[in-house]
Amino acid sequence: PVGLASWYGQSHQGRTTASGARVSRQPSTAAHRSWPLGTKVKVTNLRTTQQVVVTINDRGPYAGGTRIIDLSEAAATRVGLLERGTERVEVAVVERAS
């Protein structure tokens, strides 16, 4: 799917995710509304073509609109959306959760 990606802000750090892990700035993780926890997805920034593979470990985004995925700070940095806050991305499943 194609839509907007955003990233977890500083206020989310340390909170418990849906998977039970703590939100951290460093791991390449993400939140998605429905894909199974543990699913690995490739996120491609459609403006820069930068890519990152992340593991779904939380639910969201809940900001509404066309946001389809929330990235950790590290993942957002890898795809070049940290400064802009949101970017149009394509998301593809790489490995389904077992």
Side-chain angles (χ1 to χ4, degrees), residues 5-42:
S6 54
W7 63 281
Y8 288 158
Q10 192 75 15
S11 64
H12 293 277
Q13 300 306 307
R15 290 187 183 177
T16 304
T17 65
S19 69
R22 296 264 181 213
V23 173
S24 174
R25 297 164 46 177
Q26 295 310 310
S28 290
T29 57
H32 189 271
R33 286 185 190 97
S34 60
W35 282 333
L37 299 175
T39 299
K40 293 186 186 303
V41 298
K42 179 172 64 175

Side-chain angles (χ1 to χ4, degrees), residues 40-83:
K40 293 186 186 303
V41 298
K42 179 172 64 175
V43 180
T44 304
N45 182 328
L46 296 178
R47 180 180 60 84
T48 67
T49 69
Q50 292 170 286
Q51 299 178 333
V52 66
V53 174
V54 298
T55 302
I56 304 299
N57 76 337
D58 204 4
R59 294 292 173 223
Y62 297 110
T66 57
R67 291 186 188 184
I68 61 171
I69 196 165
D70 272 340
L71 303 175
S72 66
E73 185 175 338
T77 300
R78 295 267 317 263
V79 295
L81 73 78
L82 193 66
E83 289 184 21

